[in-house]
């Protein structure tokens, strides 16, 4: 590919429409892709930034079964939520399509048919897992079992999410159907396979040699281990009732495997965009002067760096990706993000809870981007970055510049007088930033690029703090004209340089400064943005403070998810050995009331209780001090085993036992009658 490509095709992983978008997706894929696309557009490049909903495959069928609706209803629901979230969050796709669209079905079918006609597939009858009760073959995600590599008992039929190993459903130990819970049987079925092993030399030459120095180590390393581990043929069709029909005779009831159809979604989305814009789609996928870049998360590396390139190579007319800058995973408050456990920050909910604060989240996710290793999002860090960085550095600088320009010159940019050495030095430093930020973005180092953009705001703050125009105005008002002129140049540069990272802020700032320019290659020597005599608008707050109460609300929401999961996943203790009726009838269980309670001296866990059992008032020592204070249990009605043999505990004789259980969080709970009017001494039998 040429050094200076004629056009760019940028793809962002197609989100799966079995749920909404969360911050892990944003940090891993959509925010970096958007920064890159916006940056290229600012340079006047020809860009096709495409994406779309991935609407086929097992997870959709599973969701539909779980919610008692059709797969079509599932995809329509989540496509709507995802589309709206992306739009409101400012992800500037040129086209956002759907794999359920006719153009995609046609494109994927044609692609398969071309490879089929060219003899690129192997046809094989294999043994697949079959659920006799449900009367269907089990696709990967409908099977769960023990991972043969790490022993995780909840590995899926395509991948163990604990150790990351890619699996076949038949590799699982003790497999079981997630539909009926029964053990599946093996049954013969015919499928078509892409022989990845035949492309071993191509992959070694193209990636392991050709991209040794420019691909991210995490991506290169994963590809190398796959290739070195030996590639095997991979099925491109599936026995499923939801997806794109396999377009050959003898394939009735079979669908294209979702991993085969989904990446073709990039091509069909480009076609859809080109048709709408009156363009030819082919150069964006078939011209050597096009740079193709895939933005994905690490769980998609094998598909975008091995399988899809092999598909493109086998087809013969397509270009290969120039780079696949995959990110690692983002964790949330120290735990792995989990959609099934609702341990996530959902984008559509964030936009409701923090209206107008898209850039605060974009900034935090970029500053914390998991570019080379997993990273963590915490709400406290989000608050600190908004308040201590965006508001205190960026917002503060702009506010001071705009307020002082209005105060001293009625909002008119002053003509500078002779520049001092400090002015010259500051402007020279400013002029270097576009090239510095460009270098970071071109190497897909978006965290680094964001840091450099913020350094422009720091430069402005330092200049004002050192120069102190508010003091100088009394001694030398002519000098202040130059100071404010220089500060305004920094502010106008920020309006452009912030655009890829903080598009909403950039727009606000352009409005405040009353500038239209949208060009990255600023010729600073021209001062073409805010010239002397140019009138700027009034100041407005760019970043409002985020209060502790807002953050606490989010932490409470996560805590509620954690509790709900604990309750949902709580497992009962296994049954003890069988007791006879006689064993049970020996126990004398009575209702009693706690009259007094005090802590046992020098014992953290023990409370000494006086209990009215209805037959007497007795002392019982109970190990509940870590769960209850003495005050909160006085007067509580409880269940007491009264005929337990007395036992001395730390010199106090205990005559009986209080019945307790644990709730899902492990807190002790009294087992007691819930009806009113039960008297002390009433027997339980």
């Amino acid at each position: 590919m040429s050094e200076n490509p004629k056009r760019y095709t940028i793809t962002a992983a197609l989100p799966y429409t079995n749920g909404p978008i969360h911050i892990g997706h944003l940090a891993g894929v959509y925010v970096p892709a958007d920064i890159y696309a916006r940056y290229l557009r600012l340079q006047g490049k020809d860009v096709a930034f495409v994406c779309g909903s991935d609407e086929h495959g097992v997870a959709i069928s599973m969701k539909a079964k779980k919610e008692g609706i059709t797969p079509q209803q599932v995809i329509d629901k989540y496509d709507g939520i995802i589309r709206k979230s992306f739009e409101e969050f400012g992800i500037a796709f040129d086209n956002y399509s759907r794999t359920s669209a006719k153009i995609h079905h046609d494109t994927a079918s044609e692609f398969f048919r071309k490879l089929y006609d060219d003899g690129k597939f192997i046809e094989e009858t294999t043994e697949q897992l079959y659920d006799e009760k449900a009367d269907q073959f089990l696709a990967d995600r409908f099977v769960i079992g023990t991972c043969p590599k790490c022993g995780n008992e909840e590995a899926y039929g395509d991948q163990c999410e604990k150790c990351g190993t890619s699996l076949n459903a038949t590799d699982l130990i003790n497999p079981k159907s997630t539909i009926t819970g029964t053990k599946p049987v093996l049954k013969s079925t015919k499928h078509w396979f892409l022989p990845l092993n035949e492309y071993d030399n191509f992959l070694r030459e193209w990636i392991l040699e050709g991209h040794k120095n420019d691909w991210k180590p995490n991506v290169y390393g994963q590809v190398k281990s796959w290739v070195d581990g030996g590639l095997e043929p991979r099925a491109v069709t599936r026995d499923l009732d939801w997806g794109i029909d396999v377009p050959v005779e003898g394939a009735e009831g079979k669908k294209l495997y979702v991993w085969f159809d989904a990446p073709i979604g990039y091509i069909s989305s480009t076609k859809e965009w080109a048709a709408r814009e009156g363009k030819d789609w082919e150069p964006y996928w078939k011209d050597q002067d096009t740079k193709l870049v895939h933005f994905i998360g690490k769980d998609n590396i094998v598909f975008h760096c091995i399988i899809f390139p092999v598909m493109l190579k086998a087809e013969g007319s397509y270009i290969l990706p120039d780079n696949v800058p995959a990110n690692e995973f983002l964790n949330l408050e120290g735990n792995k993000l989990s959609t099934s456990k609702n341990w996530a920050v959902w984008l559509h909910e964030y936009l409701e809870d923090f209206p107008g604060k898209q850039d605060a989240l974009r900034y935090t996710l970029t500053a914390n981007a998991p570019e080379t290793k997993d990273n963590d999002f915490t709400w406290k860090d989000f608050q600190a970055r908004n308040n201590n960085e965006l508001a205190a550095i960026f917002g503060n600088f702009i506010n001071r510049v705009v307020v002082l320009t209005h105060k001293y010159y009625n909002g008119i940019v002053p003509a500078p007088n002779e520049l001092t050495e400090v002015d010259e030095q500051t402007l020279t430093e400013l002029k270097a930033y576009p090239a510095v930020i460009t270098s970071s973005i071109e190497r897909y180092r978006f965290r680094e690029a964001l840091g450099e953009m913020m350094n422009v705001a720091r430069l402005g703050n330092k200049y004002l703090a050192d120069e102190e125009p508010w003091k100088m105005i009394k001694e030398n008002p002519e000098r202040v004209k130059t100071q404010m002129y220089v500060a305004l140049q920094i502010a106008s540069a920020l309006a452009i340089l912030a655009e890829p990272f903080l598009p909403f802020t950039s727009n606000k700032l352009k409005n405040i400064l009353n500038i239209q320019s949208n060009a990255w290659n600023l010729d600073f020597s021209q001062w073409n943005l805010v010239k002397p005599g140019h009138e700027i608008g009034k100041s407005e707050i760019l970043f409002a403070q985020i209060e502790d109460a807002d953050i606490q609300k989010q932490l409470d929401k996560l805590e509620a998810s954690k509790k709900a999961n604990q309750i949902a996943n709580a497992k009962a203790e296994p049954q003890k050995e069988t007791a006879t009726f006689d064993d049970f009838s020996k126990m004398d269980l009575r209702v009693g009331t706690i009259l007094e309670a005090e802590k046992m001296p020098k014992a953290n866990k023990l409370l000494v209780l006086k209990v009215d059992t209805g037959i007497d008032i007795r002392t019982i020592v109970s190990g509940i001090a870590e769960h209850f204070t003495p005050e909160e249990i006085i007067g509580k009605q409880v269940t007491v085993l009264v005929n337990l043999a007395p036992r001395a505990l730390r010199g106090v004789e205990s005559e009986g036992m209080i019945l307790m259980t644990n709730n899902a969080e492990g807190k002790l709970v009294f087992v007691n009658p819930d009806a009113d009017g039960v008297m002390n001494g009433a027997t339980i039998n």
Side-chain angles (χ1 to χ4, degrees), residues 55 79 81 112 124 149 237 250 273 336 383 396 446 496 571 581 589 603 616 620 666 669:
E55 302 183 330
D79 175 71
I81 293 171
F112 179 92
E124 252 181 54
K149 292 273 172 76
T237 58
W273 164 75
K336 209 172 166 182
Q383 180 187 24
N396 179 50
F446 302 110
I496 305 299
K571 286 194 174 115
F581 182 78
L589 297 166
D616 57 17
I620 296 177
V669 178

Side-chain angles (χ1 to χ4, degrees), residues 297-540:
K298 75 171 169 188
D299 51 341
N300 257 324
I301 289 172
V302 68
F303 297 107
H304 288 75
C305 301
I306 293 178
I307 297 171
F308 189 42
V310 165
M311 287 162 60
L312 297 173
K313 179 79 176 164
E315 199 279 345
S317 67
Y318 285 82
I319 56 169
L320 297 169
D322 183 75
N323 212 317
V324 185
N327 278 342
E328 299 291 290
F329 288 151
L330 185 74
N331 296 324
L332 170 60
E333 298 288 348
N335 290 314
K336 209 172 166 182
L337 275 156
S338 169
T339 53
S340 59
K341 292 177 181 169
N342 197 26
W343 189 257
V345 177
W346 304 104
L347 178 56
H348 66 294
E349 290 182 2
Y350 172 86
L351 292 165
E352 281 171 21
D353 293 347
F354 294 94
K357 288 195 167 56
Q358 292 95 326
D359 283 352
L361 185 58
R362 287 178 71 109
Y363 179 80
T364 304
L365 294 177
T366 308
N368 271 341
E371 288 181 347
T372 49
K373 61 178 178 35
D374 289 0
N375 224 332
D376 198 34
F377 175 94
T378 71
W379 279 110
K380 288 286 184 199
D381 177 66
F382 164 77
Q383 180 187 24
R385 288 193 185 276
N386 179 81
N387 296 354
N388 307 340
E389 294 175 26
L390 289 176
I393 298 168
F394 193 128
N396 179 50
F397 168 64
I398 297 299
N399 187 53
R400 288 205 285 185
V401 173
V402 176
V403 167
L404 292 177
T405 305
H406 276 278
K407 188 176 176 182
Y408 302 153
Y409 314 113
N410 294 323
I412 307 292
V413 177
N417 293 300
E418 198 179 335
L419 299 178
T420 65
E421 196 182 327
V422 172
D423 304 333
E424 296 277 13
Q425 202 179 330
T426 302
L427 291 173
T428 300
E429 211 176 310
L430 176 65
K431 287 175 201 176
Y433 273 105
V436 169
I437 298 169
T438 289
S439 168
S440 298
I441 291 178
E442 293 282 2
R443 288 174 293 130
Y444 310 104
R445 293 184 178 177
F446 302 110
R447 283 169 69 165
E448 188 178 275
L450 180 77
E452 294 296 352
M453 185 275 291
M454 283 300 283
N455 283 341
V456 177
R458 288 188 175 91
L459 175 74
N461 271 325
K462 184 179 186 310
Y463 179 77
L464 285 181
D466 290 350
E467 292 297 297
E468 299 182 305
W470 45 89
K471 286 187 183 172
M472 186 65 71
I473 194 75
K474 297 183 184 99
E475 303 156 27
N476 186 351
E478 284 304 306
R479 171 71 191 131
V480 175
K481 286 180 182 172
T482 311
Q483 292 170 337
M484 291 313 299
Y485 174 79
V486 170
L488 281 158
Q489 302 315 310
I490 300 171
S492 68
L494 264 179
I496 305 299
L497 299 177
E499 206 276 343
F501 313 98
L502 310 171
F504 295 89
T505 306
S506 169
N507 271 341
K508 276 188 196 169
L509 186 46
K510 284 176 198 162
N511 284 334
I512 292 169
L513 296 175
N514 194 19
I515 55 176
Q516 307 304 317
S517 175
N518 236 354
W520 183 268
N521 293 328
L522 295 173
D523 182 357
F524 281 101
S525 60
Q526 298 287 305
W527 305 127
N528 58 351
L529 290 181
V530 286
K531 295 174 181 159
H534 174 87
E535 188 173 354
I536 67 169
K538 288 275 192 286
S539 181
E540 61 173 291

Side-chain angles (χ1 to χ4, degrees), residues 130-145:
Y130 187 83
D131 184 328
E132 291 178 305
K133 197 171 174 186
D135 191 22
Q136 71 175 76
F137 281 100
L138 295 174
D140 311 328
R141 291 269 155 167
F142 279 128
V143 189
I144 205 161

Side-chain angles (χ1 to χ4, degrees), residues 527-598:
W527 305 127
N528 58 351
L529 290 181
V530 286
K531 295 174 181 159
H534 174 87
E535 188 173 354
I536 67 169
K538 288 275 192 286
S539 181
E540 61 173 291
I541 291 174
L542 292 180
F543 306 100
Q545 292 286 313
I546 290 171
E547 303 302 332
D548 290 346
D550 298 324
I551 296 303
Q552 195 53 51
K553 201 167 133 192
Q554 299 302 323
L555 292 170
D556 292 346
K557 200 190 273 190
L558 287 174
E559 195 53 41
S561 285
K562 197 178 269 181
K563 282 182 183 168
N565 283 319
Q566 285 168 337
I567 291 163
N569 298 319
K571 286 194 174 115
E573 291 282 324
Q575 180 181 305
K576 291 181 181 174
E577 62 185 74
T578 306
T580 65
F581 182 78
D582 289 343
D583 291 335
F584 179 75
S585 60
K586 281 180 191 170
M587 293 197 293
D588 190 352
L589 297 166
R590 306 267 181 155
V591 175
T593 300
I594 298 171
L595 303 176
E596 295 174 22
E598 60 181 26

